[in-house]
């Protein structure tokens, strides 16, 4: 069968793209190397942060506003809760990137927020032990998404709307030909008018020419036993991001596992091979999180209950890559990546469907072009 669009990789962005394509009546197929969902990419881990005041760049806020609308729509269509609003505390020195960036975005777009001193934050959330020169920016619209449920809902919705699905299918080669694209897999060939490649850490396996701008990196997620689990329950503890001398750490109230999930996110690029992931959790991996907990969140510094790894794709500037493959008219590569992309999954699906069908989108994605790396 020849398709209008083939989506290669059904993670966060790919599953959403297949969903939007199918709901527009397009003949589409989604190809996934593993099952749906799986733990071999970047989206798993029981919870992912969502927030509006975006410290990375205020220009993301319009995309986020649309993403919020589409998350609500997905929940209605799927009949399940995916988005938990807990509020978010973004914490650090007043001139830190996290605090100053969040305030810039919140003020530019008139987003609800509060600024709390350490004493004021302690009154609201005594779980934190802040440095005297830190402040917290609280946003009521922040919270977390359940990533496995989101990907499953997108894929199930796509199939219900008529999309075909090829799971446990490895894509070996993608070539553009006359009037379309040929995708060679270990189960045979698929042809389509257009290919959307949302393959995460496997993108550079398919297109080695992108290896200078897309680098797979390994990140560790840890779940730690709390001294008082009730203090970290949903409704009593927010999602948070905290910039300190230990780096940037982020965490969640207890959900999914009876432990507090905390991880370290920095801009460093730590190469990792998705074909042979290193799932060993070293003492250094644990210390990279535990040192932060002992200093700033001591009530969650109990034994490590569980740890998992995920593979981020990192660009040199930490922003997304969404563009045509160089020299190809009918292949779009999308990597809404660098460790902050999951919250955008719904709007990514919408705009990728636009690009595949119309060659453009009303969303402003110019900052994600491959050309910014030409020098």
């Amino acid at each position: 069968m020849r398709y209008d669009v083939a989506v290669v990789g059904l993670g966060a962005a790919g599953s959403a793209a297949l969903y939007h394509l199918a709901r527009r009546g397009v003949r589409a197929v989604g190809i996934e190397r593993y099952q749906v969902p799986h733990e071999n990419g970047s989206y798993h881990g029981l919870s992912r942060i969502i927030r509006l005041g975006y410290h990375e760049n205020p220009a993301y806020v319009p995309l986020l506003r649309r993403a919020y609308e589409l998350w609500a729509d997905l929940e209605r269509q799927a009949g399940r809760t995916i988005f938990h609003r807990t509020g978010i505390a973004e914490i650090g020195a007043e001139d830190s990137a996290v605090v100053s960036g969040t305030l810039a975005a919140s003020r530019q777009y008139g987003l609800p927020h509060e600024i709390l001193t350490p004493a004021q934050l302690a009154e609201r959330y005594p779980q934190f032990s802040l440095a005297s020169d830190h402040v917290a920016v609280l946003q009521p619209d922040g919270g977390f998404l359940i990533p496995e449920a989101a990907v499953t809902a997108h894929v199930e919705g796509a199939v219900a709307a008529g999309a075909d699905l090829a799971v446990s299918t490895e894509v070996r080669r993608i070539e553009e030909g006359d009037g379309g694209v040929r995708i060679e897999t270990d189960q045979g060939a698929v042809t389509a008018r257009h290919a959307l490649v949302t393959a995460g850490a496997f993108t550079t396996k398919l297109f080695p020419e992108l290896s200078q701008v897309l680098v797979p990196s390994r990140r560790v997620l840890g779940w730690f036993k709390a001294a008082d689990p009730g203090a970290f329950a949903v409704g009593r503890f927010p999602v948070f991001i905290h910039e300190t001398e230990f780096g940037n750490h982020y965490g969640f109230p207890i959900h999914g596992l009876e432990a507090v999930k905390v991880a370290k996110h920095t801009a460093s690029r730590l190469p990792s091979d998705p074909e042979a992931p290193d799932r060993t959790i070293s003492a250094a991996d644990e210390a990279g999180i535990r040192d932060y907990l002992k200093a700033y969140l001591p009530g969650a510094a109990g034994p490590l209950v569980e740890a998992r790894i995920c593979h981020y794709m990192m660009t040199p500037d930490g922003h997304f890559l969404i563009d045509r493959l160089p020299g190809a008219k009918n292949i779009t590569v999308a990597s809404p990546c660098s460790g902050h992309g999951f919250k955008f999954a719904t709007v990514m699906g919408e705009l990728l469907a636009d690009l595949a069908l119309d060659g453009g989108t009303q969303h402003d994605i110019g900052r994600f072009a491959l050309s910014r790396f030409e020098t």
Side-chain angles (χ1 to χ4, degrees):
M1 182 180 292
R2 180 180 173 86
Y3 293 93
D4 295 317
V5 184
V7 182
V8 178
L10 297 179
S15 64
L18 188 67
Y19 175 83
H20 282 276
L21 289 164
R23 283 167 59 84
R24 296 184 195 185
V26 173
R27 188 187 295 270
V29 61
I31 307 172
E32 170 55 54
R33 181 184 178 117
Y34 302 104
Q35 292 294 313
V36 177
H38 64 78
E39 294 195 355
N40 298 296
S42 64
Y43 69 79
H44 62 281
L46 304 179
S47 53
R48 294 287 164 173
I49 290 176
I50 184 167
R51 52 199 163 91
L52 274 173
Y54 218 62
H55 68 256
E56 288 86 345
N57 192 316
Y60 283 92
V61 174
L63 285 174
L64 283 164
R65 282 178 161 162
R66 180 56 177 158
Y68 269 63
E69 294 173 352
L70 291 171
W71 283 118
D73 179 71
L74 181 65
E75 287 184 315
R76 287 191 295 268
Q77 295 296 326
R80 68 182 77 173
T81 300
I82 296 171
F83 182 180
H84 293 264
R85 277 180 172 81
T86 62
I88 183 170
E90 298 192 64
I91 311 167
E94 288 189 40
D95 61 351
S96 65
V98 166
V99 169
S100 62
T102 299
L103 286 175
S106 298
R107 289 164 176 165
Q108 181 173 337
Y109 287 95
L111 305 176
H113 67 281
E114 299 177 74
I115 305 173
L116 302 185
T117 66
Q120 290 170 328
L121 184 69
E123 289 181 6
R124 190 99 42 108
Y125 300 113
Q127 301 90 334
F128 290 105
S129 177
L130 296 193
S132 60
D133 62 340
H134 283 193
V135 297
V137 182
L138 264 60
Q139 299 177 68
D141 292 323
F144 66 90
L145 302 159
I146 306 174
E148 296 87 352
V151 171
T152 299
H154 272 137
V155 170
E156 289 178 348
V159 171
D164 285 345
L165 203 59
V167 297
S168 299
T169 300
E170 181 182 350
V171 173
R172 293 174 171 170
R173 189 178 182 87
I174 303 175
E175 290 185 320
E176 190 172 54
D178 293 336
V181 179
R182 177 181 174 86
I183 302 168
E184 296 180 6
T185 81
D186 60 353
Q187 306 296 319
V190 174
T191 59
R193 182 183 60 79
H194 196 95
L196 288 174
V197 181
T198 52
F202 293 92
T203 302
T204 52
K205 300 285 184 179
L206 296 170
F207 304 121
E209 62 268 35
L210 297 179
S211 61
Q212 295 301 307
V213 296
L214 289 174
V215 177
S217 64
R218 175 182 179 272
R219 293 292 186 271
V220 176
L221 313 174
W223 283 261
F224 294 81
K225 185 175 180 60
D228 176 10
F232 293 91
V234 173
R236 295 186 63 188
F237 187 68
V239 168
F240 71 88
I241 301 173
H242 196 173
E243 182 176 340
T244 73
E245 70 275 19
F246 298 111
N248 280 13
H249 288 78
Y250 62 94
F252 304 80
I254 292 174
H255 172 80
L257 293 174
E258 292 300 314
V260 181
K261 177 185 172 184
V262 182
K264 183 176 183 179
H265 178 73
T266 66
S268 63
R269 305 201 298 177
L270 306 176
S272 179
D273 183 359
E275 298 279 6
D278 178 8
R279 298 189 183 278
T280 303
I281 307 301
S282 69
D285 289 330
E286 182 177 346
I289 304 173
R290 184 172 295 283
D291 289 347
Y292 165 79
L293 291 175
K294 289 191 296 185
Y296 293 103
L297 205 62
L304 179 66
V305 174
E306 185 166 336
R308 303 178 186 178
I309 68 162
C310 66
H311 290 285
Y312 292 170
M313 291 301 277
M314 296 294 297
T315 60
D317 61 7
H319 298 297
F320 304 160
L321 172 62
I322 303 171
D323 209 343
R324 290 286 195 270
L325 183 72
K329 296 185 299 182
N330 299 308
I331 301 174
T332 297
V333 177
S335 185
C337 58
S338 298
H340 63 106
F342 191 87
K343 62 187 73 65
F344 295 90
T346 49
V347 71
M348 287 294 136
E350 180 177 71
L351 69 84
L352 289 173
D354 294 342
L355 294 175
L357 299 177
D358 306 324
T361 178
Q362 64 179 352
H363 296 292
D364 180 7
I365 60 170
R367 71 186 64 85
F368 306 140
L370 184 60
S371 60
R372 73 187 192 272
F373 300 121
E374 286 179 353
T375 57

